[in-house]
Amino acid sequence: DDGKIQCGSDSMFRTYAASFYNADSTWVMDKKSLGTENKPCIGEIQIKKYQGFVHNYINKYISNKLVSSFTPSDIKEFRQKLLENEKLSRKTINDIMSCLRIMFTSALDDGLISRNPFRGIKPLITEPKPRDAFSIDEVKQIVDYFSNNELIKTFIIVAACTGMRLAEINSLRKANIKNRR
């Protein structure tokens, strides 16, 4: 050789991506081993979601490049294609990009690429969805339908209006609640 350090991969990205999120892949098995039975690090739903992103979007637009040839411009171009050609929310596009970022971070860690093409790539800004909260009268109508017990109704209304969890509701006492009807 000419004395240069060899780094990178001559494999096509579609080959690299094809089994990246399979149940028996190194990345998936490692993620599963990091968690516990009661607190998994990754779940089957997330793995299926990533597999869907690879199949439906990543392979569609960027599978025919060498793993080692990606640049930040390629990543930006991919994101732009998702914005222009797919009817996806900005949040979903960010999720797809996160899935792809995981793959490139792993490729960098494994020495398949010398630099991560996601360097400097920021997520799309998303608009928060406004929550359509029930009015107090709507909550009362819903509660009236389910319960004839005034105390239970009051607890349900407090939970619905405040977002309190069951344990917090259970710790309430009658003296804590004033009827403001």
Side-chain angles (χ1 to χ4, degrees), residues 149-175:
N149 182 318
E150 284 300 314
L151 184 60
I152 291 173
K153 278 188 200 180
T154 305
F155 284 142
I156 293 171
I157 290 170
V158 169
C161 293
T162 65
M164 291 176 76
R165 294 179 292 262
L166 181 60
E168 295 163 328
I169 295 293
N170 284 336
S171 67
L172 289 176
R173 300 294 167 248
K174 247 184 174 178

Side-chain angles (χ1 to χ4, degrees), residues 132-145 157 160-161:
D132 292 336
F134 290 117
S135 70
I136 190 71
D137 290 331
E138 291 170 324
V139 172
K140 286 178 182 177
Q141 285 179 335
I142 293 168
V143 171
D144 285 343
Y145 180 79
I157 290 170
C161 293

Side-chain angles (χ1 to χ4, degrees), residues 34-167:
L34 291 174
T36 65
E37 186 176 331
N38 294 329
K39 190 168 171 84
C41 190
I42 191 166
E44 295 302 319
I45 292 171
Q46 188 68 30
I47 294 167
K48 291 287 183 203
K49 183 177 172 182
Y50 286 162
Q51 289 170 345
F53 289 160
V54 170
H55 178 74
N56 295 318
Y57 305 109
I58 294 170
N59 282 344
K60 182 177 181 180
Y61 292 108
I62 62 171
S63 65
N64 291 323
K65 286 183 66 79
L66 293 175
V67 173
S68 60
S69 69
F70 280 88
T71 65
S73 293
D74 294 322
I75 301 302
K76 291 174 187 174
E77 184 180 317
F78 169 61
R79 182 171 61 192
Q80 197 59 39
K81 285 178 182 176
L82 291 175
L83 281 166
E84 293 171 0
N85 301 330
E86 303 293 334
K87 301 283 189 233
L88 301 171
S89 71
R90 295 169 76 84
K91 162 99 172 65
T92 300
I93 291 172
N94 283 342
D95 290 346
I96 294 167
M97 298 301 285
S98 292
C99 170
L100 185 60
R101 182 185 301 267
I102 289 167
M103 297 170 81
F104 278 111
T105 300
S106 185
L108 181 66
D109 292 345
D110 289 341
L112 300 177
I113 56 177
S114 60
R115 63 183 164 33
N116 192 335
F118 268 90
R119 184 171 181 215
I121 305 288
K122 303 213 179 330
L124 296 172
I125 295 172
T126 60
E127 294 290 330
K129 288 185 180 178
R131 293 187 178 209
D132 292 336
F134 290 117
S135 70
I136 190 71
D137 290 331
E138 291 170 324
V139 172
K140 286 178 182 177
Q141 285 179 335
I142 293 168
V143 171
D144 285 343
Y145 180 79
F146 289 107
S147 176
N148 291 327
N149 182 318
E150 284 300 314
L151 184 60
I152 291 173
K153 278 188 200 180
T154 305
F155 284 142
I156 293 171
I157 290 170
V158 169
C161 293
T162 65
M164 291 176 76
R165 294 179 292 262
L166 181 60

